[in-house]
Amino acid sequence: MVIGIDIGGTKINGAVFDEDGDMFHHVSHLLEGRTGKNVGSLICQIIDELMDSRKVENIEAIGVCVPGIANVRTRKVWAPNIEGWENYPLQDEIEKHINRLSITVEIASDRTCYILGEKWRGNAIGCNNAAFIAVGTGIGIGLLVDGQVLHGHGDIVGAAGWLALEPDYQEEFKSYGCFESQASGAGIVLQTKKLLKTGKIFPKSLLYQKNIDFINTYDVFEAYNQNDELAKQVIHKAVKMWGMAAANIVSLLNPEKIIWGGGVFGPAVRLINDIYTEALRWAQPISIKQVKFEKSELGGDAGLYGAGYLALKSPE
C-alpha cells in the first residue's frame, strides 16, 4: 500500500492506493487560507489520518503532488499559490514527522504527477510517449518520453505558460508568459476584460451584464455557448494557441497521445477536435497523424493518482 497526496490551490486530497491503482480511504481538507508551515502541518495531519485507516506497516511509501516546483537536489519546493512556500523544506518536514517508520517520501510537480496518473490509470495506459496539457489558472505540461518523465536541470520542465507563440512581445508576457496570458483560465479572463474595457468593439456582448471585476472563465464559456461575439473572439484565440502549442510538442517529441486536463477542460473539452484541426496546420505532417488528442480520463484526480504512482515506483 502507498499514500498519495495532491496539494491544490484550495484543498489537499489524500488517499491510500494498492499496487493496481485501486483507491482506498480518500480524505480531503480545505486550505482555508493556511500559509507556510500551517500547510505542511495539514499535510502531516492528512498522512496520519490515512495511516490510521490502514495498518501502518502496510504503507510502504508516500508520494506528494506539489503545485509548482519540487527540486530533488535541494529537497525543497516552490509553490507560487501558497504563501511562504518559496523555498519550503516539505520533504524534510514529512520525513521528520514519520521518522519512526521506514517509509520512502517522493515529491514531484503537479504536471509530472498528472502524466504519471494518466499512465497508471488514465488515458496514457500503455503509452511510452505522451503529454498532459493542464490548463487551469496557469498552464503546465507533463511529458513522458520513451517511458521516462522529463524533469530538466531544475525540475522546471513543462512550464508551458512561457511558450513563445507570437512574434510581438507584450509587457503582460513578463508576468504570465505569452501562452498563459492568452489561453490559461486567468488569461482568458484577462483578454475578456481588456476587450470589455474598450466598450466599443463588442457593445452588445452578454458579458456586459456581468460585474467586470468578478467575471470568470465559466462566464466566458457560457457566453461563447450563446454565440457571443466577444467570447468567440477570446475562445477562438485560445483554441489557436492550444493548437499551436500542441503542434510544437508533436513536432519536437512525436507523442502517441496529448491529453487535455485542468479546470478549463471542463468547459473546453468539446473544443478538442477544433484544437486538433488547428494543430494540423502547424505540426510536422507525419507526426500529427500519429497522435491522438484526448481528454483526461482522471479529471481532477489525475494529480492524486500520479502521487500514488510516484510512491509506488519510488526507489527501494
Side-chain angles (χ1 to χ4, degrees), residues 9-89:
T10 60
K11 65 181 178 180
I12 301 175
N13 290 315
V16 177
F17 296 91
D18 67 14
E19 62 182 10
D20 296 320
D22 291 324
M23 184 189 295
F24 300 86
H25 193 70
H26 175 272
V27 298
S28 182
H29 286 275
L30 295 175
L31 284 176
E32 296 180 323
R34 289 178 175 86
T35 61
K37 187 169 176 56
N38 288 330
V39 179
S41 296
L42 179 59
I43 293 167
C44 292
Q45 176 188 328
I46 290 171
I47 290 170
D48 288 343
E49 291 179 20
L50 292 169
M51 285 185 168
D52 288 343
S53 72
R54 308 293 301 179
K55 291 182 178 179
V56 172
E57 59 266 23
N58 286 345
I59 302 298
E60 298 175 356
I62 298 170
V64 183
C65 172
V66 175
I69 299 169
N71 192 310
V72 175
R73 288 187 296 277
T74 66
R75 296 165 56 87
K76 295 182 179 180
V77 302
W78 172 78
N81 294 326
I82 300 177
E83 185 180 338
W85 273 33
E86 289 78 19
N87 199 26
Y88 190 75

Side-chain angles (χ1 to χ4, degrees), residues 89-255:
L90 180 61
Q91 181 135 8
D92 289 343
E93 181 172 4
I94 294 174
E95 289 180 350
K96 182 178 180 180
H97 182 72
I98 59 170
N99 63 3
R100 67 192 186 281
L101 307 167
S102 298
I103 297 176
T104 303
V105 178
E106 296 289 329
I107 301 177
S109 71
D110 49 4
R111 47 191 175 264
T112 290
C113 289
Y114 295 153
I115 189 62
L116 287 176
E118 293 289 335
K119 177 177 174 57
W120 195 24
R121 289 295 295 261
N123 264 337
I125 292 174
C127 290
N128 284 317
N129 294 274
F132 187 109
I133 301 182
V135 184
T137 303
I139 301 176
I141 301 179
L143 296 168
L144 181 70
V145 177
D146 294 339
Q148 301 295 319
V149 173
L150 300 187
H151 293 280
H153 173 67
D155 244 331
I156 314 177
V157 161
W162 273 262
L163 283 176
L165 302 175
E166 288 190 329
D168 297 323
Y169 183 81
Q170 299 177 39
E171 194 60 29
E172 67 192 36
F173 297 170
K174 184 176 181 179
S175 299
Y176 297 98
C178 174
F179 187 21
E180 198 163 292
S181 71
Q182 304 279 345
S184 67
I188 287 169
V189 171
L190 173 67
Q191 301 307 320
T192 298
K193 289 181 176 181
K194 284 168 63 176
L195 289 174
L196 286 171
K197 287 176 180 178
T198 66
K200 300 176 182 178
I201 304 174
F202 301 105
K204 296 181 180 180
S205 173
L206 297 171
L207 290 162
Y208 281 110
Q209 299 173 15
K210 304 283 185 179
N211 184 326
I212 191 170
D213 292 328
F214 297 101
I215 285 175
N216 58 42
T217 311
Y218 289 92
D219 293 329
V220 182
F221 275 99
E222 183 180 4
Y224 175 81
N225 292 337
Q226 297 180 57
N227 213 32
D228 183 271
E229 291 299 324
L230 188 154
K232 283 168 62 178
Q233 176 165 313
V234 173
I235 299 301
H236 287 165
K237 182 61 177 290
V239 167
K240 182 175 182 178
M241 290 284 188
W242 292 327
M244 292 173 69
N248 289 340
I249 295 169
V250 168
S251 299
L252 284 171
L253 301 176
N254 188 205

